[in-house]
Amino acid sequence: MDRFISDVKKYQKYTIYAAKSELKSEVANSHLSWLWWILDPMLFMIVYTFVALTVFQKSEPYLPVFIFIGYNSWNFFSACLRQSVKLVAANKAIVSKVYIPKFILIFVKIISNGFKMFVAFSLVVIMMIGYRVPVDWKAVLLLPLFVVLLVVTFAFSCILLHYGVYVEDLANVVTVVLKLLFYLTGIFFSIYKRVPYPYSSLLLKCNPMALIVDSMRQVLIYQSMPDWGPVIVWFIIGVVLSVVGVHTIYKHENSYVKVM
């Protein structure tokens, strides 16, 4: 743990610089620049709203806000996991020449994708005002939920970074699994209302993203308390997996370049 904290402090400037560079390069040749970070989830929100209302003829209170919260959070989680699988190979030019703790590469992706997520979440505020969604003090509980999201994302990213070096087809497996999890997360429907009990409760407890997304909607849209028990359990699982993942990376990172 001491080494981890020391490395985080030591490479803090590099992490921020690399994340900024990645964000700048992403919009360098785009006329709309950073607006795409809002337009992308907003366009998907429109599509999923159409699907929910027209195809499935189902609706939720403040449906566009409901969908946008889910898709924006999911987009951050899935992007980090997909990128982590090939992260060492994608940065081979750097890791083969200078030493850098490989989990720092995950921090770069989390900061980059996280910044885009928070920019897009600014639209949630505008939408909540436009749709006159009632707000009370429980909205501040969104902050600890974001912390849980970050911890869980980092934990799974560490595991995928390590095994992605050795398992060539892992990226394809992760893509398929994420597609399945997308539909089990309840992006455009309520798991509580659309999935029969006890399967809904089981799904929320076993799928951290379904739980986090549902909890965010509870505090922002419904002014109610989330189910803190499973949230805390997943936070603890995220911390444990993070420790295991970082330890595994430290133990094997010198051999990564030889395998690539």
Side-chain angles (χ1 to χ4, degrees), residues 146-156 234-235 237-239 242:
F146 273 129
V147 172
V148 177
L149 174 59
L150 293 174
V151 171
V152 170
T153 302
F154 177 73
F156 285 116
W234 269 109
F235 175 76
I237 292 174
V239 171
S242 295

Side-chain angles (χ1 to χ4, degrees), residues 197-215:
Y197 184 85
Y199 303 108
S200 58
S201 179
L202 182 64
L203 182 57
L204 286 169
K205 291 177 180 178
C206 294
N207 182 353
M209 279 309 300
L211 178 65
I212 292 171
V213 167
D214 181 76
S215 299

Side-chain angles (χ1 to χ4, degrees), residues 91-103:
N91 290 273
K92 184 178 180 180
I94 298 175
V95 300
S96 61
K97 295 178 181 179
V98 296
Y99 172 75
I100 179 174
K102 307 307 177 287
F103 63 83

Side-chain angles (χ1 to χ4, degrees), residues 109-140:
K109 292 298 180 182
I110 286 179
I111 293 175
S112 174
N113 292 319
F115 182 80
K116 290 186 286 186
M117 177 180 65
F118 286 117
V119 169
F121 251 100
S122 64
L123 186 61
V124 173
V125 178
I126 298 175
M127 293 172 65
M128 290 179 68
I129 295 173
Y131 283 94
R132 298 182 179 180
V133 180
V135 179
D136 65 6
W137 68 270
K138 296 183 186 68
V140 301

Side-chain angles (χ1 to χ4, degrees), residues 25-45:
S25 63
E26 188 174 319
V27 298
N29 298 319
S30 173
H31 292 292
L32 294 178
S33 186
W34 58 269
L35 286 176
W36 276 115
W37 302 337
I38 294 179
L39 288 175
D40 178 68
M42 186 172 68
L43 291 174
F44 273 96
M45 176 204 68

Side-chain angles (χ1 to χ4, degrees), residues 11-260:
Y11 292 94
Q12 179 181 2
K13 290 184 179 180
Y14 168 80
T15 304
I16 297 174
Y17 174 79
K20 287 182 178 179
S21 299
E22 184 170 306
L23 289 170
K24 289 180 180 178
S25 63
E26 188 174 319
V27 298
N29 298 319
S30 173
H31 292 292
L32 294 178
S33 186
W34 58 269
L35 286 176
W36 276 115
W37 302 337
I38 294 179
L39 288 175
D40 178 68
M42 186 172 68
L43 291 174
F44 273 96
M45 176 204 68
I46 294 172
V47 171
Y48 292 136
T49 301
F50 171 80
V51 170
L53 291 177
T54 306
V55 179
F56 294 111
Q57 296 182 345
K58 303 289 185 180
S59 183
E60 299 291 337
Y62 315 110
L63 184 61
V65 182
F66 179 94
I67 293 176
F68 197 87
I69 292 172
Y71 180 78
N72 201 26
S73 304
W74 170 261
N75 205 29
F76 164 78
F77 176 77
S78 62
C80 289
L81 266 60
R82 283 186 285 101
Q83 294 165 0
S84 295
V85 181
K86 295 293 185 181
L87 201 49
V88 175
N91 290 273
K92 184 178 180 180
I94 298 175
V95 300
S96 61
K97 295 178 181 179
V98 296
Y99 172 75
I100 179 174
K102 307 307 177 287
F103 63 83
I104 293 294
L105 302 175
I106 297 176
F107 281 146
V108 173
K109 292 298 180 182
I110 286 179
I111 293 175
S112 174
N113 292 319
F115 182 80
K116 290 186 286 186
M117 177 180 65
F118 286 117
V119 169
F121 251 100
S122 64
L123 186 61
V124 173
V125 178
I126 298 175
M127 293 172 65
M128 290 179 68
I129 295 173
Y131 283 94
R132 298 182 179 180
V133 180
V135 179
D136 65 6
W137 68 270
K138 296 183 186 68
V140 301
L141 298 177
L142 191 66
L143 296 178
L145 293 173
F146 273 129
V147 172
V148 177
L149 174 59
L150 293 174
V151 171
V152 170
T153 302
F154 177 73
F156 285 116
S157 296
C158 285
I159 304 298
L160 291 176
L161 179 145
H162 171 70
Y163 287 104
V165 176
Y166 301 99
V167 183
E168 186 67 25
D169 295 330
L170 184 59
N172 295 329
V173 175
V174 170
T175 299
V176 172
V177 171
L178 286 175
K179 285 182 179 179
L180 175 62
L181 283 178
F182 174 83
Y183 293 104
L184 295 176
T185 300
I187 301 301
F188 53 88
F189 64 91
S190 171
I191 292 178
Y192 274 125
K193 295 180 181 179
R194 309 304 176 194
V195 179
Y197 184 85
Y199 303 108
S200 58
S201 179
L202 182 64
L203 182 57
L204 286 169
K205 291 177 180 178
C206 294
N207 182 353
M209 279 309 300
L211 178 65
I212 292 171
V213 167
D214 181 76
S215 299
M216 288 181 174
R217 290 166 174 164
Q218 293 295 329
V219 300
L220 284 180
I221 299 178
Y222 304 116
Q223 300 86 49
S224 61
M225 296 291 288
D227 189 355
W228 286 113
V231 172
I232 294 173
V233 169
W234 269 109
F235 175 76
I236 295 173
I237 292 174
V239 171
V240 172
L241 288 179
S242 295
V243 172
V244 172
V246 170
H247 175 74
T248 304
I249 290 173
Y250 272 138
K251 184 177 179 180
H252 297 279
E253 63 181 349
N254 290 333
S255 65
Y256 288 167
V257 178
K258 299 177 183 178
V259 177
M260 289 187 300

